Amino acid sequence: MSYIDKRTSCVLAGWEAPLLSSQTKLQQLVVPDYFHGDAYINIEDATHQERINKWLPKHPATPEPVEESKEIIGFLKEKGVRSIGVAGFCWGAQVAVYLAKGAHVQAAVLLHPSFVTTEDIKEVKVPIAILAAEIDRTSPPALIREFE
């Protein structure tokens, strides 16, 4: 069993996603479970804000997920991987930005970036793409324009 097998899983937000696991001679897709099985299930109801306010403090984007990512990146580099990109969805955008700030990756993609600030973006050292929605309360178009 490799380091990646032990430290990552094919779990995205708590759901098994075996089709995300991919490995060829040219690529390796790694999907860490930063929530360690404690996924937040987004159900828009009267208790949503209360539930997320309890869940978020248990799962800060730094330092643990960033350190876990650095370990995985180090392992990949030891195995000869020369180029690493990262994609962060919602909460994961923070992790992607922190990795891009330290130039631990060669490129980053943020999708519906939550909790990312303009100050964070100013420190990014690698090419970055930001994919945001027109209607997004967490990362509205006005905020995304500030990232340019």
Side-chain angles (χ1 to χ4, degrees):
M1 185 177 279
S2 73
Y3 180 88
I4 289 179
D5 292 334
K6 291 180 198 171
R7 298 284 295 174
T8 65
S9 62
C10 294
V11 174
L12 179 62
W15 292 292
E16 290 187 24
L19 295 179
L20 287 177
S21 179
S22 172
Q23 183 175 1
T24 69
K25 289 183 179 185
L26 299 176
Q27 67 178 3
Q28 170 78 44
L29 174 64
V30 180
V31 182
D33 178 12
Y34 294 123
F35 306 135
H36 305 282
D38 183 26
Y40 179 76
I41 308 302
N42 187 13
I43 301 170
E44 294 286 338
D45 63 11
T47 64
H48 165 72
Q49 196 60 49
E50 180 182 322
R51 286 183 292 114
I52 200 163
N53 287 345
K54 289 179 182 175
W55 183 86
L56 276 172
K58 296 189 304 183
H59 302 286
T62 63
E64 291 168 9
V66 172
E67 293 306 314
E68 288 177 33
S69 296
K70 288 179 186 177
E71 289 179 35
I72 293 166
I73 290 166
F75 176 81
L76 291 170
K77 288 182 176 179
E78 285 174 16
K79 295 296 181 189
V81 175
R82 296 185 316 263
S83 183
I84 298 173
V86 63
F89 298 82
C90 192
W91 172 99
Q94 290 178 300
V95 177
V97 166
Y98 280 101
L99 293 170
K101 284 181 185 183
H104 300 285
V105 295
Q106 284 64 57
V109 178
L110 313 180
L111 301 100
H112 166 64
S114 301
F115 314 109
V116 175
T117 68
T118 53
E119 294 303 312
D120 290 328
I121 295 295
K122 289 178 186 176
E123 296 178 44
V124 169
K125 295 178 170 60
V126 300
I128 188 167
I130 302 171
L131 307 176
E134 286 182 37
I135 302 170
D136 188 335
R137 289 174 285 165
T138 306
S139 49
L143 176 61
I144 300 303
R145 282 191 292 276
E146 289 179 27
F147 292 170
E148 295 176 358

